[in-house]
Amino acid sequence: MVRKATIARAEERDISQVVELIFHLDAHVSGAPREVLKMTPEGERQLAGHFRSFLHNPYKLLLVARSARARVVGMGDIALWMQAEVWETPERQGQWYGIIDDVWVEPEYRGQGLSRLIVVELAAFARSHGVESLQLEYSTSNEEAARTWNRMGFRPVGVRAAASASEVLALLKSDETPS
Ligand SMILES: CC(C)(COP(=O)(O)OP(=O)(O)OC[C@H]1O[C@@H](n2cnc3c(N)ncnc32)[C@H](O)[C@@H]1OP(=O)(O)O)[C@@H](O)C(=O)NCCC(=O)NCCS
């Protein structure tokens, strides 16, 4: 069954539902059941504040997909950033890039092109500001995200590597050659 939803710029009335979707996204990425995930009231306030910052910032855009009953069933955002001018070389100056984040579609609304519509609007927003470079992150274990982003033209360009400090120290110390 096709469930209809429309994409729009987020408004104040959407913020609490956006926070709820981030909760769903977090449960999905971490693999933790939603029932055991709990956010502190301060955490919720901070998250709501973070998303409110998108509403009036000309370099940020937060989109929501609203169902016919105005339920928020999908989202995605972009923030445009300019690299600090550290280069005198003209071609390295004034480089802007757009960070896409928080793309989520509720399961019952998937597979009907909502994330595609969201990304089209996010990319158009970047281009309307003269920004061509788009970046985003996903976990390598999230094959669904990898396939989706690949279909939309995103290719991995780097690796975020993680380690525990204790493990690094144990490994490097065991390799130490006595002088
Ligand atoms: C990934 C996600 C955002 C896709 O949303 P969606 O609205 O169902 O995606 P669309 O219907 O717009 O499909 C967009 C493209 O991705 C492809 N795609 C979507 N889900 C896919 C899946 N599970 N496996 C393979 N390809 C997929 C579609 O085929 C489509 O490409 P096409 O139009 O060229 O055929 C949604 O499944 C989701 O919220 N997943 C969980 C959160 C997540 O992983 N988010 C990614 C951020 S890191």
Side-chain angles (χ1 to χ4, degrees):
M1 183 183 135
V2 176
R3 292 183 162 84
K4 281 209 169 157
T6 49
I7 312 295
R9 247 172 207 270
E11 297 170 17
E12 177 59 38
R13 64 178 164 136
D14 301 310
I15 295 295
S16 62
Q17 292 189 74
V18 161
V19 171
E20 186 69 27
L21 288 201
I22 288 300
F23 201 74
H24 297 176
L25 174 58
D26 214 86
H28 173 81
V29 172
S30 67
R34 279 186 205 170
E35 315 78 71
V36 302
L37 270 187
K38 264 200 156 74
M39 213 180 275
T40 64
E42 180 52 25
E44 252 174 70
R45 258 196 303 279
Q46 279 190 19
L47 208 49
H50 166 72
F51 286 112
R52 259 185 210 109
S53 80
F54 281 77
L55 303 185
H56 309 292
N57 185 326
Y59 299 111
K60 290 181 170 186
L61 176 65
L62 171 62
L63 294 176
V64 290
R66 288 198 203 98
S67 73
R69 294 179 170 191
R71 182 183 146 220
V72 177
V73 296
M75 65 179 288
D77 59 58
I78 187 167
L80 306 181
W81 297 96
M82 192 169 131
Q83 274 171 357
E85 295 289 5
V86 291
W87 298 102
E88 286 202 356
T89 323
E91 56 272 25
R92 299 301 308 269
Q93 287 178 354
Q95 296 204 352
W96 284 75
Y97 55 101
I99 306 282
I100 292 180
D101 204 2
D102 305 317
V103 177
W104 173 268
V105 174
E106 288 286 80
E108 64 275 28
Y109 284 83
R110 287 182 192 165
Q112 54 185 53
L114 281 182
S115 77
R116 177 178 275 270
L117 286 175
I118 289 170
V119 173
V120 164
E121 286 208 26
L122 296 178
F125 175 78
R127 220 171 51 174
S128 73
H129 284 77
V131 177
E132 280 295 328
S133 175
L134 300 178
Q135 299 175 17
L136 54 83
E137 288 186 3
Y138 58 85
S139 162
T140 47
S141 61
N142 190 345
E143 292 175 17
E144 181 187 32
R147 284 197 296 266
T148 303
W149 292 125
N150 190 55
R151 292 285 284 181
M152 296 191 190
F154 291 83
R155 301 285 179 268
V157 290
V159 171
R160 173 182 282 187
S164 98
S166 305
E167 276 172 19
V168 170
L169 287 174
L171 184 71
L172 297 188
K173 280 189 176 158
S174 69
D175 277 357
E176 249 174 25
T177 41
S179 52

